[in-house]
Amino acid sequence: MVMRLRQQDPDFDARFSALLAMKREVSDDVNAAVAEIIDAVRKRGDEALAEYSLRFDRLDLATTGLAVTSAEIDAAFASIDPETLQALELAHERIARHHARQMPADDFYEDALGVQLGSRWTAIEAVGLYVPGGLASYPSSVLMNAVPARVAGVERIVMTVPCPDGALNPLVLAAARVAGVSEIYRVGGAQAIAALAYGTETIRPVAKIMGPGNAYVAAAKKQVFGTVGIDMIAGPSEVLVLADADNNPDWIAADLLAQAEHDTAAQAILMTDSAELGDAVERAVESQLTTLPRGEVARQSWRDYGAVIEVENFADAVPLVNRLAAEHLELAVADPDALLPLIRNAGAIFIGAHTPEVIGDYVGGSNHVLPTARSARFSSGLSVLDYVKRSSVLRLDAAQLRELGPAAIRLARAEGLDAHARSVAIRMNLPD
Amino acid sequence: MVMRLRQQDPDFDARFSALLAMKREVSDDVNAAVAEIIDAVRKRGDEALAEYSLRFDRLDLATTGLAVTSAEIDAAFASIDPETLQALELAHERIARHHARQMPADDFYEDALGVQLGSRWTAIEAVGLYVPGGLASYPSSVLMNAVPARVAGVERIVMTVPCPDGALNPLVLAAARVAGVSEIYRVGGAQAIAALAYGTETIRPVAKIMGPGNAYVAAAKKQVFGTVGIDMIAGPSEVLVLADADNNPDWIAADLLAQAEHDTAAQAILMTDSAELGDAVERAVESQLTTLPRGEVARQSWRDYGAVIEVENFADAVPLVNRLAAEHLELAVADPDALLPLIRNAGAIFIGAHTPEVIGDYVGGSNHVLPTARSARFSSGLSVLDYVKRSSVLRLDAAQLRELGPAAIRLARAEGLDAHARSVAIRMNLPD
C-alpha cells in the first residue's frame, strides 16, 4: 500500500511535513578512504591511477592505456544500430538548440556620470565530466553535461568513465563524440576526481568537475572543491504529478513508475483532486509493476517513498506544490495555464497529458540535470550558466573619480579602513 | 622584503607555481562543536539561541529581545552624521541601478515542430544574510548582499548579526534599512545559521543563506547546505595590480595596502614591466605603512603574501594573469583595451589609473562579493542570479509527441529503462 494523504484529514499538515522531511539517502562516511586516494593521486599520478584501476575495476591500464582512443570510439559507433544513433543525434541537436538560447550576453554601458560599467562572460577553460560505470552510465547524461559546456565555449571537455573488467558502454562513447567531448580517460571513482582536480602525467587538470557518481565520487568532489569548482551533488530522482479526474490512469501510473524505476530511493508522488483517479492509478501501478524489468526497484521506491495526495482543488494546493519543490512536475490538469504562474519551486515543469516527463529526459531539449531533494527552492537545473563566469569591469576618469571619491572615502573611514580611504584620497590630492 | 619574481629568471616558473599554490588560510576543525550547536537550535529553538548568546556574546536576549526593533533602527539613523548617510544612500542607489540590469529574462518559444519550450525565472522566497560582528561588520557588505536580493524580488530578507556585549553597529542597521532588509535578529555564530536554516519560534526558516563569517559560521553553512542553499565561502581578499612605468608609485602602493589592511592573510601583488616602478612602489609601501592605523595587519600581509612580479611585457604575461585569477585586477597600463579581451579569469577588473579598486568596494555599482583564492577560474561575483532560480517548461501535443516519442523510446530502451519507454509508448498506442 502506498502512502495516502488527504488534505481534509486533521493530521494532514503533520503527515505532509513528515513527507517533506523524509530522508531518502544514507551517505556512507567514506571521507578517510577518499582523502587517502586523492593524496596518492596527487603524489604518484598515473601510477596511482593504474593501481586503483587494477584493484577496483580489475583493469590493467598498462595494457589498455588511460586514454580512450579514436579507434575505440569508431568501433563503438559501428556497433550501434542506426535507429539508436539517429535518436542520439536528434537528442543532441535539440539539446544544443535549446541551450544556445541560454548564453548570457555581455553588458557594457555608461551611467549618467559617464562611468563605464560592464559585465563580461567568459567560458571556463576546461571542465571534467564524470560518467559513472555500470547501470548508471547514461549516454543521455553525457549529452546533458557536455552540450552546455560546448555551447558555452569550454575548450577542453575531459570525460572520465570507469571501465570495470574493461567494459565501456559504446553509446556513452558515441554520445561523447557527438557532444564534442575532447578527451576520454578510462578511470573512475575518487581517483578520477583527483586526477581531474590536480592532474597527472597524462591528464591535465580542469577548473570545474561535473557529473553524478557514487558516495566515493561525491565525497571526492566535496574534498577537491575550492581547488576546482563542482556542480551540485544530485540526489535520487523525483516526480510530482498533478492530475485531475480527466486522465488515463495507465498513463499517470507509467509516469510514476518511470521515476520509481531509477532507484529504490526515487520518489513518485501523485497529487489529485479525484479520489477515484487516485484509486485507479494505484491499481494501474500495481498492474504495470508486474511486467516491468526493473519492477523490484520500482516497487520498493513506490512502497517506501511513493504517495498519493488528495487535495480539494489544485489552486489551493499550490503552496503544497511549492513546498515539495519537486525536481520534475507534471501538470496533467484541465487548465494548466491557470496554475503555471503560481508555481514557483520546480526544476522542470511538463504541461498537459501529452508531455510525459520522459520526453524531457531525452529529446525535449531542456536539461535533465535538475535540483533534487527540495533544492528547487534555491537552485536551478544545469545550464550554460554553469560553464561560464562573469567579470565585472569598471572605468572612471579623473573627473568621475572626483565625483564619486568623497562618498567612498567617507564609507571607508566609517568602516575603519584608512588605507582604503587613502587609495582614493591620494588620487584627489586630498589630505590623508 | 617582499617577494620578488622576475620572468626572465630560470626559477621563475617554479616560483610562480609556488605563489599560486600558497595556502593563505588555516581553517580550524570546528565541525563537532558546530554540529552540537545546530542540534541544540533544532531541538530547543529560541531557548538555545538565548543560551549561546549569553555564553558567546555576553548578551541577555530575555532583556533585549531577539528581533531588532524599528525604534532601534530609527535611533541608529539619528546617530549617523549626514555625510556618511548620504554616502550610504549614493552607494545604495548605484548598486541598485547596476544590479537591476542583471535580472534574467524569461524565455518562452516554439520550435520548428511547434513544441513549446520555456525557461522561467523566479525569486527565492526567503534568504538569510549573515553579518559578522566586530571589525568585519561592514555596512557596505550589507548593501552588496541585500540589494541584489531586493532586485531579484526576494520577499523576506532576514539578517542576523551578533551583538557582543549588546553593541550593534548603527551604520549596519542603517544599511539594512536602506537596502530593504525585512527582519533583523541579534544573534550570530553557528547558532544564527542553524536558526536561519531550521527556524525557531521567532525566526522563520529561509531557503538560502548568504554572507561571510568566521570558521564557525563557515562550518555551519557547510553543514546546513542541502537543507538550504548557501553562497560561496569567501576567503581572504586579493588584488593584482598591473602597472607600467608611467604610474605614480604612491597611488599603486596605496592600492596594494588597501587590500593588505583587510587581513594578515590578504594578498597584494604588483605585476610590472618596469623594475624601477617595482622598486619605487616597494619604497612607497614601506613609507605609507608607517602612517597607517591598520599598519601592522597590512605589514604582515605584505611581508607574508605580497609579491612584485617583473614581466618582460604585459601581452606575454596574460597567461600569468589568468592563472592567478585574482579577485580584483587593476589595469594601470597605457593600453588597457588591448589587454582586456585577453583576460579571462578575474572577479572584477578596474581600468586605468583613476579607477582604484576601492571605488568598486563602495560606490562603483558592481558587487564587491567576488571569487577569491583563484576561484575566478570557475565562478563569478555575487549577482541577482544568486537570488533567483530557473524552471524549465515543456509542452507537447499529441502530434508532437508522436514525432519525438520514438527517439525517446529508443534511448530509454538503450539505457535499460523500460518504464521510461512505456510512459511514452503507452500514449502512442505502441506495444510496450
Side-chain angles (χ1 to χ4, degrees), chain B residues 138-152:
Chain B
Y138 294 140
S140 57
S141 295
V142 173
L143 296 183
M144 294 294 177
N145 279 280
V147 170
R150 187 68 183 266
V151 168

PDB file of all heavy atoms in Angstrom, chain B residues 138-152:
ATOM      1  N   TYR B 138      30.684  45.122   8.108  1.00  0.00           N
ATOM      2  CA  TYR B 138      30.775  46.197   7.133  1.00  0.00           C
ATOM      3  C   TYR B 138      29.409  46.572   6.563  1.00  0.00           C
ATOM      4  O   TYR B 138      28.756  45.754   5.925  1.00  0.00           O
ATOM      5  CB  TYR B 138      31.671  45.777   5.972  1.00  0.00           C
ATOM      6  CG  TYR B 138      33.120  45.571   6.359  1.00  0.00           C
ATOM      7  CD1 TYR B 138      33.843  44.524   5.828  1.00  0.00           C
ATOM      8  CD2 TYR B 138      33.760  46.435   7.246  1.00  0.00           C
ATOM      9  CE1 TYR B 138      35.178  44.326   6.159  1.00  0.00           C
ATOM     10  CE2 TYR B 138      35.095  46.246   7.587  1.00  0.00           C
ATOM     11  CZ  TYR B 138      35.795  45.191   7.050  1.00  0.00           C
ATOM     12  OH  TYR B 138      37.107  45.000   7.388  1.00  0.00           O
ATOM     13  N   PRO B 139      28.985  47.809   6.737  1.00  0.00           N
ATOM     14  CA  PRO B 139      27.717  48.242   6.126  1.00  0.00           C
ATOM     15  C   PRO B 139      27.717  48.062   4.610  1.00  0.00           C
ATOM     16  O   PRO B 139      26.687  47.728   4.027  1.00  0.00           O
ATOM     17  CB  PRO B 139      27.607  49.722   6.519  1.00  0.00           C
ATOM     18  CG  PRO B 139      28.885  50.089   7.191  1.00  0.00           C
ATOM     19  CD  PRO B 139      29.577  48.838   7.590  1.00  0.00           C
ATOM     20  N   SER B 140      28.875  48.261   3.981  1.00  0.00           N
ATOM     21  CA  SER B 140      28.917  48.097   2.525  1.00  0.00           C
ATOM     22  C   SER B 140      28.575  46.659   2.137  1.00  0.00           C
ATOM     23  O   SER B 140      27.926  46.422   1.113  1.00  0.00           O
ATOM     24  CB  SER B 140      30.292  48.483   1.978  1.00  0.00           C
ATOM     25  OG  SER B 140      31.311  47.716   2.587  1.00  0.00           O
ATOM     26  N   SER B 141      28.977  45.685   2.954  1.00  0.00           N
ATOM     27  CA  SER B 141      28.659  44.287   2.648  1.00  0.00           C
ATOM     28  C   SER B 141      27.166  44.002   2.803  1.00  0.00           C
ATOM     29  O   SER B 141      26.619  43.151   2.106  1.00  0.00           O
ATOM     30  CB  SER B 141      29.467  43.341   3.527  1.00  0.00           C
ATOM     31  OG  SER B 141      30.837  43.461   3.221  1.00  0.00           O
ATOM     32  N   VAL B 142      26.527  44.708   3.739  1.00  0.00           N
ATOM     33  CA  VAL B 142      25.076  44.563   3.870  1.00  0.00           C
ATOM     34  C   VAL B 142      24.408  44.992   2.561  1.00  0.00           C
ATOM     35  O   VAL B 142      23.544  44.290   2.021  1.00  0.00           O
ATOM     36  CB  VAL B 142      24.542  45.391   5.055  1.00  0.00           C
ATOM     37  CG1 VAL B 142      23.014  45.370   5.081  1.00  0.00           C
ATOM     38  CG2 VAL B 142      25.113  44.865   6.370  1.00  0.00           C
ATOM     39  N   LEU B 143      24.835  46.124   2.027  1.00  0.00           N
ATOM     40  CA  LEU B 143      24.279  46.581   0.741  1.00  0.00           C
ATOM     41  C   LEU B 143      24.544  45.557  -0.367  1.00  0.00           C
ATOM     42  O   LEU B 143      23.649  45.218  -1.139  1.00  0.00           O
ATOM     43  CB  LEU B 143      24.908  47.920   0.330  1.00  0.00           C
ATOM     44  CG  LEU B 143      24.655  49.140   1.209  1.00  0.00           C
ATOM     45  CD1 LEU B 143      25.313  50.375   0.577  1.00  0.00           C
ATOM     46  CD2 LEU B 143      23.157  49.391   1.402  1.00  0.00           C
ATOM     47  N   MET B 144      25.787  45.077  -0.438  1.00  0.00           N
ATOM     48  CA  MET B 144      26.181  44.197  -1.541  1.00  0.00           C
ATOM     49  C   MET B 144      25.404  42.880  -1.526  1.00  0.00           C
ATOM     50  O   MET B 144      25.155  42.283  -2.561  1.00  0.00           O
ATOM     51  CB  MET B 144      27.679  43.912  -1.478  1.00  0.00           C
ATOM     52  CG  MET B 144      28.556  45.142  -1.721  1.00  0.00           C
ATOM     53  SD  MET B 144      28.392  45.762  -3.427  1.00  0.00           S
ATOM     54  CE  MET B 144      29.461  47.221  -3.371  1.00  0.00           C
ATOM     55  N   ASN B 145      25.045  42.409  -0.327  1.00  0.00           N
ATOM     56  CA  ASN B 145      24.292  41.155  -0.227  1.00  0.00           C
ATOM     57  C   ASN B 145      22.788  41.369  -0.322  1.00  0.00           C
ATOM     58  O   ASN B 145      22.077  40.521  -0.867  1.00  0.00           O
ATOM     59  CB  ASN B 145      24.617  40.432   1.087  1.00  0.00           C
ATOM     60  CG  ASN B 145      25.909  39.652   1.014  1.00  0.00           C
ATOM     61  OD1 ASN B 145      25.951  38.549   0.487  1.00  0.00           O
ATOM     62  ND2 ASN B 145      26.990  40.246   1.524  1.00  0.00           N
ATOM     63  N   ALA B 146      22.301  42.481   0.222  1.00  0.00           N
ATOM     64  CA  ALA B 146      20.843  42.656   0.296  1.00  0.00           C
ATOM     65  C   ALA B 146      20.259  43.260  -0.977  1.00  0.00           C
ATOM     66  O   ALA B 146      19.150  42.916  -1.376  1.00  0.00           O
ATOM     67  CB  ALA B 146      20.476  43.519   1.511  1.00  0.00           C
ATOM     68  N   VAL B 147      20.999  44.164  -1.610  1.00  0.00           N
ATOM     69  CA  VAL B 147      20.427  44.847  -2.787  1.00  0.00           C
ATOM     70  C   VAL B 147      20.086  43.872  -3.915  1.00  0.00           C
ATOM     71  O   VAL B 147      18.974  43.914  -4.459  1.00  0.00           O
ATOM     72  CB  VAL B 147      21.346  45.988  -3.271  1.00  0.00           C
ATOM     73  CG1 VAL B 147      20.879  46.521  -4.617  1.00  0.00           C
ATOM     74  CG2 VAL B 147      21.383  47.112  -2.229  1.00  0.00           C
ATOM     75  N   PRO B 148      20.993  42.959  -4.290  1.00  0.00           N
ATOM     76  CA  PRO B 148      20.608  42.022  -5.353  1.00  0.00           C
ATOM     77  C   PRO B 148      19.411  41.149  -4.979  1.00  0.00           C
ATOM     78  O   PRO B 148      18.627  40.764  -5.838  1.00  0.00           O
ATOM     79  CB  PRO B 148      21.861  41.159  -5.565  1.00  0.00           C
ATOM     80  CG  PRO B 148      22.938  41.736  -4.747  1.00  0.00           C
ATOM     81  CD  PRO B 148      22.396  42.810  -3.883  1.00  0.00           C
ATOM     82  N   ALA B 149      19.272  40.850  -3.682  1.00  0.00           N
ATOM     83  CA  ALA B 149      18.108  40.070  -3.234  1.00  0.00           C
ATOM     84  C   ALA B 149      16.829  40.860  -3.490  1.00  0.00           C
ATOM     85  O   ALA B 149      15.837  40.342  -3.999  1.00  0.00           O
ATOM     86  CB  ALA B 149      18.245  39.740  -1.750  1.00  0.00           C
ATOM     87  N   ARG B 150      16.890  42.126  -3.137  1.00  0.00           N
ATOM     88  CA  ARG B 150      15.744  43.006  -3.325  1.00  0.00           C
ATOM     89  C   ARG B 150      15.413  43.149  -4.807  1.00  0.00           C
ATOM     90  O   ARG B 150      14.249  43.049  -5.208  1.00  0.00           O
ATOM     91  CB  ARG B 150      16.099  44.366  -2.704  1.00  0.00           C
ATOM     92  CG  ARG B 150      14.992  45.361  -2.645  1.00  0.00           C
ATOM     93  CD  ARG B 150      13.910  44.908  -1.667  1.00  0.00           C
ATOM     94  NE  ARG B 150      12.825  45.867  -1.708  1.00  0.00           N
ATOM     95  CZ  ARG B 150      12.713  46.899  -0.889  1.00  0.00           C
ATOM     96  NH1 ARG B 150      13.591  47.083   0.075  1.00  0.00           N
ATOM     97  NH2 ARG B 150      11.701  47.738  -1.016  1.00  0.00           N
ATOM     98  N   VAL B 151      16.447  43.361  -5.620  1.00  0.00           N
ATOM     99  CA  VAL B 151      16.244  43.491  -7.069  1.00  0.00           C
ATOM    100  C   VAL B 151      15.621  42.215  -7.639  1.00  0.00           C
ATOM    101  O   VAL B 151      14.752  42.260  -8.512  1.00  0.00           O
ATOM    102  CB  VAL B 151      17.593  43.785  -7.770  1.00  0.00           C
ATOM    103  CG1 VAL B 151      17.471  43.636  -9.285  1.00  0.00           C
ATOM    104  CG2 VAL B 151      18.089  45.186  -7.412  1.00  0.00           C
ATOM    105  N   ALA B 152      16.055  41.063  -7.118  1.00  0.00           N
ATOM    106  CA  ALA B 152      15.545  39.780  -7.618  1.00  0.00           C
ATOM    107  C   ALA B 152      14.080  39.567  -7.267  1.00  0.00           C
ATOM    108  O   ALA B 152      13.396  38.782  -7.902  1.00  0.00           O
ATOM    109  CB  ALA B 152      16.382  38.630  -7.053  1.00  0.00           C
TER     110      ALA B 152
END
